[in-house]
Amino acid sequence: MPGLWKPGSRASAGKGKSMPAHRADDDGERTRRFRDAALPCLDDVYTLARYLLRDADAAEDAVQECYLRALKHFDSYRGPAIKPWLFAILRNICHAEFARRMNSPTAIAEIAEAESQEAAPLWHEAQASPEAELLRRRDATTIQRLVSALAEPFREILVLREMQNLSYREISDIVGAPIGTVMSRLARARAMLRTAWMAEEEPHK
Amino acid sequence: MTCDEAEILLHALLDDELDAGHVREVEAHIATCQRCAAELNAYRDMRSAMATSDLHFTAPPQLRQRIEVAFPKAHTPNRRAVLKGFAMGSVLSALAATGLVVVVLRHEDEQRILSEVVSAHLRALQAGHLTDVLSTDQHTVKPWFNGRLDVAPPVVDLTAQGFTLIGGRLDHVNGRTIGAIVYRRRTHVINLFVAQTTNAESRMAKIETVQGFNIRHWSERGLTYWAVSDLNADELADFGSKVELAAGAS
């Protein structure tokens, strides 16, 4: 779907160059600059890790690894904003973790599930009267649980968009997929969350 | 537009990611299709329910500590660095003889100021001191600077273009008091710093990245502007050119 997006959010051509490295910064200065820029994002990076890995301890390890790697590669970092860059590094670390867990039966089942969900039509479960449908307020813990239950590619895209407020272009850069894919995955992720959200209310009625 | 297309595009509409032409097309479809209109409303409800709930996790303090400890210790000058300093000194004096030093120093100076501008941006965010005058009305923010600065920074309303004015603030960069006009794009804060220049030369806009923040800076009619944000470079460039255009027209 070309030509859909605002011209402002397109392409990375013409990005500004970063500070030239001619100044021979020492390690202390470099570390200080990195800390000032990256540490304010710690809660956001940790949040993404929690949703991606669904495990508090694994998330802590992944975030620590992410910051160490980011510091190591800080010299080669040339923008854009630091947060998406940290997210991209974190995502690679989490995927290595997925690969490690790959042999477990749950991982294989989840991948198969995600693939079938991606292929299914969006409106396979059309509501009888959508105009009458009202979402009931859920508490934060319930929403967190519902989002965490989504299959990986949908969970990831939903967290990047709804909780981290990234633009489609930034998400597309992080997950390495075209914007069209980001859009269709996001539509599906929201449809899946909404179905789960409605289903969640049934037992309370 | 068919329902199949609309079911994807209505999300882009909600996320403010569509260009004006597609916004019109989706809205036209929704005006005639009850089902898609209901879908849009349901997703809008769900988004606002999510936005008002705190779905973030807070990093445990021990994680922050683990990361801090893992950073290399601050550098202490050793003999080699001192020697390097001497060598640098003689290079500088050699350059001075040729007059090149002026250019080099000017560059160093610019980098230092960019660095200070980013620090001011970070300070404002971290200390929670973003605005001295909080108003989305340009006619409130602009006069607030009167008598507080030796310049009258142009305050332009860019709400229609997707940049919400939040307010203004006094800040300090390069040992001088300068004006900061604060905008928001989605959750990204943009600080637009404005200071008087020593000469009236106009300088073309440049985008640079310092400490992970994008800065678009330019000079015009005796004022220098620095727009700083964690917003991506393209959108920041878009913001800057809109400010330039609006300030030039006023």
Side-chain angles (χ1 to χ4, degrees):
Chain A
M1 284 182 269
L4 277 180
W5 308 284
K6 294 174 180 171
S9 59
R10 209 186 330 116
S12 54
K15 282 243 161 78
K17 285 196 196 68
S18 177
M19 215 152 117
H22 71 269
R23 249 206 315 193
D25 284 349
D26 58 50
D27 276 356
E29 168 66 12
R30 198 174 73 108
T31 305
R32 191 191 59 74
R33 285 194 293 118
F34 175 74
R35 178 190 285 136
D36 286 354
L39 268 190
C41 307
L42 183 60
D43 283 344
D44 285 333
V45 175
Y46 178 70
T47 295
L48 181 61
R50 280 294 294 266
Y51 281 106
L52 288 185
L53 292 170
R54 302 194 278 208
D55 179 282
D57 289 338
E60 272 195 45
D61 291 345
V63 171
Q64 183 174 9
E65 176 65 21
C66 168
Y67 272 78
L68 288 181
R69 265 191 224 181
L71 173 61
K72 203 168 135 199
H73 298 289
F74 195 43
D75 283 338
S76 63
Y77 161 63
R78 290 286 180 273
I82 191 142
K83 203 158 77 169
W85 183 64
L86 291 171
F87 284 174
I89 295 175
L90 179 76
R91 186 175 180 273
N92 287 339
I93 293 167
C94 294
H95 275 220
E97 175 66 16
F98 291 146
R100 206 180 57 77
R101 292 184 194 169
M102 250 319 243
N103 294 327
S104 75
T106 49
I108 292 166
E110 188 174 303
I111 287 163
E113 188 201 351
E115 278 168 359
S116 71
Q117 280 166 336
E118 192 141 26
L122 251 188
W123 276 349
H124 55 110
E125 284 173 56
Q127 267 76 26
S129 55
E131 54 278 0
E133 175 191 304
L134 264 178
L135 280 169
R136 221 181 308 147
R137 293 265 148 180
R138 314 297 326 173
D139 59 86
T141 321
T142 306
I143 304 176
Q144 281 178 340
R145 181 164 51 74
L146 294 177
V147 172
S148 296
L150 297 178
E152 199 266 328
F154 307 106
R155 182 175 3 122
E156 168 180 81
I157 233 131
L158 202 65
V159 171
L160 290 174
R161 175 60 222 152
E162 304 288 23
M163 293 162 214
Q164 310 287 6
N165 273 297
L166 298 187
S167 69
Y168 288 5
R169 165 53 62 192
E170 287 169 317
I171 296 174
S172 142
D173 287 345
I174 290 172
V175 306
I179 289 200
T181 307
V182 170
M183 290 171 79
S184 60
R185 255 185 220 170
L186 181 63
R188 193 169 301 281
R190 283 184 177 146
M192 286 159 64
L193 177 64
R194 179 173 156 209
T195 307
W197 191 304
M198 304 307 293
E200 178 71 19
E201 296 182 353
E202 299 302 335
H204 303 288
K205 274 182 184 165
Chain B
M1 177 168 293
T2 65
C3 290
D4 277 355
E5 289 168 321
E7 74 181 356
I8 303 266
L9 290 184
L10 65 85
H11 292 279
L13 179 71
L14 276 180
D15 292 325
D16 194 19
E17 291 264 358
L18 282 186
D19 60 33
H22 282 87
V23 167
R24 275 195 299 275
E25 279 184 45
V26 177
E27 283 176 345
H29 174 80
I30 279 163
T32 58
C33 175
Q34 268 200 342
R35 180 175 177 178
C36 287
E39 292 283 305
L40 180 67
N41 278 335
Y43 286 119
R44 184 173 283 144
D45 280 358
M46 191 170 86
R47 284 208 68 206
S48 79
M50 290 179 82
T52 52
S53 312
D54 185 13
L55 305 176
H56 287 81
F57 293 94
T58 307
Q62 76 267 15
L63 173 60
R64 196 174 289 266
Q65 221 172 2
R66 270 164 67 190
I67 290 173
E68 288 269 7
V69 167
F71 284 150
K73 292 279 164 290
H75 184 83
T76 45
N78 57 24
R79 200 160 149 261
R80 232 178 104 213
V82 172
L83 284 177
K84 218 162 76 185
F86 278 125
M88 193 62 183
S90 46
V91 169
L92 279 182
S93 38
L95 285 175
T98 65
L100 266 173
V101 72
V102 181
V103 180
V104 174
L105 283 182
R106 185 193 253 192
H107 183 72
E108 291 273 300
D109 218 35
E110 255 176 37
Q111 291 300 337
R112 185 178 52 78
I113 290 175
L114 286 183
S115 201
E116 280 199 28
V117 163
V118 167
S119 297
H121 176 76
L122 274 171
R123 242 186 354 254
L125 291 177
Q126 284 172 347
H129 177 206
L130 206 50
T131 52
D132 290 325
V133 52
L134 183 70
S135 172
T136 54
D137 180 5
Q138 55 175 325
H139 304 295
T140 307
V141 177
K142 189 170 167 56
W144 181 85
F145 284 109
N146 288 342
R148 291 182 163 92
L149 283 177
D150 48 4
V151 293
V155 178
V156 296
D157 185 357
L158 297 173
T159 313
Q161 286 96 324
F163 301 95
T164 317
L165 177 65
I166 306 178
R169 183 182 77 246
L170 290 185
D171 215 311
H172 300 275
V173 167
N174 200 20
R176 286 163 55 191
T177 305
I178 68 168
I181 304 150
V182 190
Y183 291 86
R184 190 189 347 242
R185 169 87 162 180
R186 296 188 303 276
T187 53
H188 305 278
V189 169
I190 306 169
N191 266 298
L192 177 65
F193 296 97
V194 186
Q196 203 168 12
T197 40
T198 40
N199 54 19
E201 70 170 312
S202 285
R203 291 171 73 177
M204 291 285 286
K206 263 169 76 180
I207 288 225
E208 300 194 51
T209 307
V210 175
Q211 295 177 12
F213 290 90
N214 289 316
I215 307 177
R216 186 188 193 270
H217 57 114
W218 70 97
S219 297
E220 202 175 34
R221 295 203 250 169
L223 294 176
T224 297
Y225 301 78
W226 297 268
V228 192
S229 181
D230 61 346
L231 191 65
N232 66 65
D234 294 331
E235 284 182 83
L236 191 66
D238 184 38
F239 170 77
S241 54
K242 284 183 167 123
V243 171
E244 269 187 275
L245 198 70
S250 64

